[in-house]
Amino acid sequence: MSYHIAVIPGDGIGPEVIRETVRVLDCVSQKFGFTLNYTQYLAGGCAIDATGKPLPDETLEGALASDAVLLGAVGGEKWDTLPSDMRPEKALLGLRAGLGLFANLRPAVLFEQLAAACPLKPELTAGGLDILVVRELTGGIYFGKKERGENYAYDTMSYTEDEVRRIAHVAMKAAMGRSRKVTSVDKANILESSRLWRQVVTEVAEEYPEVTLSHMYVDNAAMQLVRNPKQFDVIVTENMFGDILSDEAAMITGSIGMLPSASLGEGTRGMYEPVHGSAPDIAGQGIANPLATILSAAMMLRYSLGQEDAAKAVEAAVDAALFGGARTKDIALEGEAVLSTAEMGDCVLAALEGLA
Ligand code: NAD
């Protein structure tokens, strides 16, 4: 098997974390007998400098012709004063829209070895945490009709059945590969769009009899995430609720340097990137944590390339590296030895080589 990956390192620490991730991908693909062909493309600030555009046509075309897109991060102070349609972040929106990505998957995993970074009481997270937030990305109040008048303003939360149906399928399919439990989060006691959401998610769930579906109001979900987070497996929700809940779930795990994400569309092609940004404050120092990007690549192996065993091997290697005491500065406790970005890459590679 051979796959084409569009690699977009971007700005700041993007190229540093992508470098380690590609090394890990090379190793795991060799181990599991498939080939990854990479083509590098520009996006973000570096693309503005080189071409005058945050998302050059060649990059979008390359992404469209690939099996998956692996992205580092974009942005930095240098480009902060540009008009909004010329900013580096425009590249992300352009890629999402151009690739038709409507589902954002953000796992919040608390690695037992990093439990000290979790702000919750240890008994609430004993044995680790593994929640997947599936957020609708292209509908809802962020994209609905809005208006600002002289003394009023409104935004509209609207969804079509098809928009809800397709994200519900993504959540159900993801749950099938996990603990087969989906919590759909809405505000159906108040919002008409939530009543439609609940009805359609319930209909879709009938096609997945092995998945247990429950519904929860968003205010309760926000509370339950810090009260009893272990009750959740997959959470599926609309755009704004997902924006807020995925950040809340992420905080439970402690470090931004550990959080991967995937954005998916209708087919198998997706875009994979760490949740963190380009971290200009530490760029060029070789100290960034590459694990969020390496874990994003594991999601790529799982969701776009169908290489579940390879995905699990990468995740197990990250786990083993952490278990062996590997820490970059952001996840090290006082007194613990601190590794560089490349040394953390070495540890994951060594763990990968060591796996049966
Ligand atoms: P950030 O995520 O880049 O950094 C926040 C803090 O976390 C910083 O102190 C940084 O050093 C630290 N951090 C982030 N990633 C880390 C890692 N892998 N290892 C160790 N420490 C890490 O967020 P910010 O400072 O708000 O934004 C910086 C730039 O990144 C801005 O231009 C912003 O627009 C952009 N940004 C891009 C994306 C993206 O490309 N998807 C996402 C968020 C922010």
mmCIF file of all heavy atoms in Angstrom, residues 316-335:
data_model
loop_
_atom_site.group_PDB
_atom_site.id
_atom_site.type_symbol
_atom_site.label_atom_id
_atom_site.label_comp_id
_atom_site.label_asym_id
_atom_site.label_seq_id
_atom_site.Cartn_x
_atom_site.Cartn_y
_atom_site.Cartn_z
ATOM 1 N N ALA A 316 1.082 3.673 21.380
ATOM 2 C CA ALA A 316 1.753 2.861 22.413
ATOM 3 C C ALA A 316 3.197 3.332 22.611
ATOM 4 O O ALA A 316 3.717 3.329 23.736
ATOM 5 C CB ALA A 316 1.729 1.385 22.019
ATOM 6 N N ALA A 317 3.835 3.752 21.517
ATOM 7 C CA ALA A 317 5.228 4.224 21.616
ATOM 8 C C ALA A 317 5.293 5.533 22.408
ATOM 9 O O ALA A 317 6.209 5.734 23.217
ATOM 10 C CB ALA A 317 5.824 4.400 20.221
ATOM 11 N N VAL A 318 4.318 6.413 22.184
ATOM 12 C CA VAL A 318 4.267 7.666 22.959
ATOM 13 C C VAL A 318 4.078 7.339 24.438
ATOM 14 O O VAL A 318 4.767 7.876 25.316
ATOM 15 C CB VAL A 318 3.129 8.583 22.442
ATOM 16 C CG1 VAL A 318 2.858 9.727 23.414
ATOM 17 C CG2 VAL A 318 3.469 9.126 21.057
ATOM 18 N N ASP A 319 3.163 6.427 24.695
ATOM 19 C CA ASP A 319 2.885 5.993 26.058
ATOM 20 C C ASP A 319 4.152 5.430 26.711
ATOM 21 O O ASP A 319 4.490 5.773 27.850
ATOM 22 C CB ASP A 319 1.813 4.904 25.977
ATOM 23 C CG ASP A 319 0.919 4.903 27.181
ATOM 24 O OD1 ASP A 319 0.630 5.991 27.694
ATOM 25 O OD2 ASP A 319 0.527 3.809 27.620
ATOM 26 N N ALA A 320 4.858 4.586 25.942
ATOM 27 C CA ALA A 320 6.066 3.948 26.480
ATOM 28 C C ALA A 320 7.165 4.983 26.735
ATOM 29 O O ALA A 320 7.877 4.913 27.741
ATOM 30 C CB ALA A 320 6.565 2.879 25.510
ATOM 31 N N ALA A 321 7.287 5.950 25.821
ATOM 32 C CA ALA A 321 8.302 6.995 26.006
ATOM 33 C C ALA A 321 8.008 7.781 27.288
ATOM 34 O O ALA A 321 8.915 8.045 28.093
ATOM 35 C CB ALA A 321 8.336 7.929 24.798
ATOM 36 N N LEU A 322 6.740 8.120 27.489
ATOM 37 C CA LEU A 322 6.371 8.859 28.705
ATOM 38 C C LEU A 322 6.616 7.996 29.935
ATOM 39 O O LEU A 322 7.116 8.461 30.960
ATOM 40 C CB LEU A 322 4.897 9.276 28.649
ATOM 41 C CG LEU A 322 4.540 10.344 27.607
ATOM 42 C CD1 LEU A 322 3.022 10.503 27.513
ATOM 43 C CD2 LEU A 322 5.178 11.686 27.966
ATOM 44 N N PHE A 323 6.257 6.732 29.811
ATOM 45 C CA PHE A 323 6.431 5.812 30.926
ATOM 46 C C PHE A 323 7.915 5.689 31.293
ATOM 47 O O PHE A 323 8.279 5.582 32.464
ATOM 48 C CB PHE A 323 5.848 4.442 30.566
ATOM 49 C CG PHE A 323 5.667 3.562 31.763
ATOM 50 C CD1 PHE A 323 4.661 3.831 32.685
ATOM 51 C CD2 PHE A 323 6.508 2.486 31.998
ATOM 52 C CE1 PHE A 323 4.493 3.040 33.807
ATOM 53 C CE2 PHE A 323 6.363 1.689 33.119
ATOM 54 C CZ PHE A 323 5.351 1.965 34.024
ATOM 55 N N GLY A 324 8.756 5.766 30.251
ATOM 56 C CA GLY A 324 10.204 5.689 30.474
ATOM 57 C C GLY A 324 10.782 6.989 31.016
ATOM 58 O O GLY A 324 11.996 7.096 31.220
ATOM 59 N N GLY A 325 9.933 8.000 31.200
ATOM 60 C CA GLY A 325 10.396 9.248 31.819
ATOM 61 C C GLY A 325 10.733 10.356 30.837
ATOM 62 O O GLY A 325 11.235 11.408 31.242
ATOM 63 N N ALA A 326 10.458 10.152 29.525
ATOM 64 C CA ALA A 326 10.777 11.187 28.541
ATOM 65 C C ALA A 326 9.860 12.402 28.754
ATOM 66 O O ALA A 326 8.636 12.271 28.757
ATOM 67 C CB ALA A 326 10.599 10.628 27.130
ATOM 68 N N ARG A 327 10.479 13.564 28.914
ATOM 69 C CA ARG A 327 9.697 14.790 29.158
ATOM 70 C C ARG A 327 10.331 15.969 28.421
ATOM 71 O O ARG A 327 11.538 16.209 28.574
ATOM 72 C CB ARG A 327 9.697 15.154 30.655
ATOM 73 C CG ARG A 327 9.132 14.111 31.589
ATOM 74 C CD ARG A 327 7.600 14.087 31.544
ATOM 75 N NE ARG A 327 7.072 13.194 32.554
ATOM 76 C CZ ARG A 327 6.893 11.868 32.399
ATOM 77 N NH1 ARG A 327 7.197 11.290 31.258
ATOM 78 N NH2 ARG A 327 6.406 11.144 33.380
ATOM 79 N N THR A 328 9.526 16.686 27.653
ATOM 80 C CA THR A 328 9.992 17.993 27.190
ATOM 81 C C THR A 328 9.654 18.994 28.296
ATOM 82 O O THR A 328 8.953 18.660 29.250
ATOM 83 C CB THR A 328 9.285 18.388 25.874
ATOM 84 O OG1 THR A 328 7.914 18.006 25.968
ATOM 85 C CG2 THR A 328 9.942 17.745 24.672
ATOM 86 N N LYS A 329 10.143 20.229 28.130
ATOM 87 C CA LYS A 329 10.049 21.207 29.220
ATOM 88 C C LYS A 329 8.601 21.440 29.685
ATOM 89 O O LYS A 329 8.333 21.580 30.877
ATOM 90 C CB LYS A 329 10.657 22.527 28.720
ATOM 91 C CG LYS A 329 10.878 23.543 29.794
ATOM 92 C CD LYS A 329 11.817 24.645 29.321
ATOM 93 C CE LYS A 329 11.823 25.769 30.316
ATOM 94 N NZ LYS A 329 11.546 27.049 29.706
ATOM 95 N N ASP A 330 7.664 21.474 28.713
ATOM 96 C CA ASP A 330 6.276 21.803 29.039
ATOM 97 C C ASP A 330 5.603 20.760 29.925
ATOM 98 O O ASP A 330 4.624 21.063 30.596
ATOM 99 C CB ASP A 330 5.463 21.997 27.746
ATOM 100 C CG ASP A 330 5.532 20.778 26.852
ATOM 101 O OD1 ASP A 330 6.653 20.304 26.578
ATOM 102 O OD2 ASP A 330 4.469 20.286 26.441
ATOM 103 N N ILE A 331 6.081 19.509 29.907
ATOM 104 C CA ILE A 331 5.413 18.474 30.707
ATOM 105 C C ILE A 331 6.303 17.951 31.842
ATOM 106 O O ILE A 331 5.928 17.005 32.523
ATOM 107 C CB ILE A 331 4.929 17.293 29.825
ATOM 108 C CG1 ILE A 331 6.066 16.736 28.954
ATOM 109 C CG2 ILE A 331 3.732 17.694 28.974
ATOM 110 C CD1 ILE A 331 5.690 15.458 28.213
ATOM 111 N N ALA A 332 7.458 18.579 32.010
ATOM 112 C CA ALA A 332 8.369 18.115 33.068
ATOM 113 C C ALA A 332 7.997 18.742 34.404
ATOM 114 O O ALA A 332 7.630 19.918 34.468
ATOM 115 C CB ALA A 332 9.806 18.486 32.704
ATOM 116 N N LEU A 333 8.051 17.947 35.442
ATOM 117 C CA LEU A 333 7.886 18.491 36.785
ATOM 118 C C LEU A 333 9.244 19.007 37.246
ATOM 119 O O LEU A 333 10.276 18.660 36.655
ATOM 120 C CB LEU A 333 7.404 17.404 37.747
ATOM 121 C CG LEU A 333 6.025 16.820 37.452
ATOM 122 C CD1 LEU A 333 5.715 15.681 38.408
ATOM 123 C CD2 LEU A 333 4.951 17.905 37.543
ATOM 124 N N GLU A 334 9.221 19.808 38.301
ATOM 125 C CA GLU A 334 10.483 20.355 38.789
ATOM 126 C C GLU A 334 11.465 19.232 39.136
ATOM 127 O O GLU A 334 11.066 18.235 39.751
ATOM 128 C CB GLU A 334 10.212 21.212 40.024
ATOM 129 C CG GLU A 334 11.018 22.489 39.998
ATOM 130 C CD GLU A 334 10.585 23.418 41.100
ATOM 131 O OE1 GLU A 334 9.495 23.987 40.970
ATOM 132 O OE2 GLU A 334 11.347 23.529 42.084
ATOM 133 N N GLY A 335 12.680 19.373 38.673
ATOM 134 C CA GLY A 335 13.689 18.363 39.002
ATOM 135 C C GLY A 335 13.795 17.253 37.964
ATOM 136 O O GLY A 335 14.759 16.495 37.974
#
